[in-house]
Amino acid sequence: MKVTKEALENVAVLSRLSVPADRADMYIKQMDDILTYMDNLSVLDTTNVKPTTYALPMQNVFREDEVRPSLDREAALANAPLKEDGYFKVPRVLGE
């Protein structure tokens, strides 16, 4: 596979990157090497390989939702800088 200067410029525009003129040849070679390497995958027999979006099996990492005792009001308000009538008091954000 041969990457052209036009292809490099197109990728640069699409990715919103600037390519310095003195490095263009190096980038073209690197892109060509990467695409040639990736092209090697086309010779692999994947007929018995299931398509997947993840390389590893996915599992739910969340705990089951269960009722448990919560923090009591006094403990929750213990470190509050401002409190009033058992609630957090915060500065007004919206106008009247």
Side-chain angles (χ1 to χ4, degrees):
M1 180 169 286
K2 182 64 180 154
V3 176
T4 63
K5 185 171 182 167
E6 292 78 25
L8 174 67
E9 290 170 355
N10 188 36
V11 169
V13 168
L14 293 173
S15 59
R16 293 184 170 92
L17 295 172
S18 62
V19 177
D22 60 330
R23 292 190 173 189
D25 291 335
M26 178 185 69
Y27 291 151
I28 290 172
K29 169 131 178 42
Q30 288 176 350
M31 283 178 63
D32 190 57
D33 290 345
I34 292 168
L35 293 175
T36 300
Y37 180 78
M38 296 303 293
D39 196 40
N40 291 335
L41 296 176
S42 64
V43 298
L44 297 177
D45 179 22
T46 59
T47 52
N48 294 323
V49 178
K50 293 181 183 175
T52 180
T53 2
Y54 302 101
L56 301 173
M58 296 297 294
Q59 64 184 16
N60 187 354
V61 295
F62 298 109
R63 66 171 170 78
E64 289 297 319
D65 199 12
E66 58 188 48
V67 176
R68 298 189 309 186
S70 61
L71 198 57
D72 72 326
R73 186 182 302 239
E74 291 306 315
L77 292 170
N79 291 324
L82 296 171
K83 50 190 163 196
E84 184 177 291
D85 297 327
Y87 297 99
F88 292 100
K89 185 174 182 179
V90 295
R92 183 179 300 243
V93 180
L94 302 174
E96 307 243 355

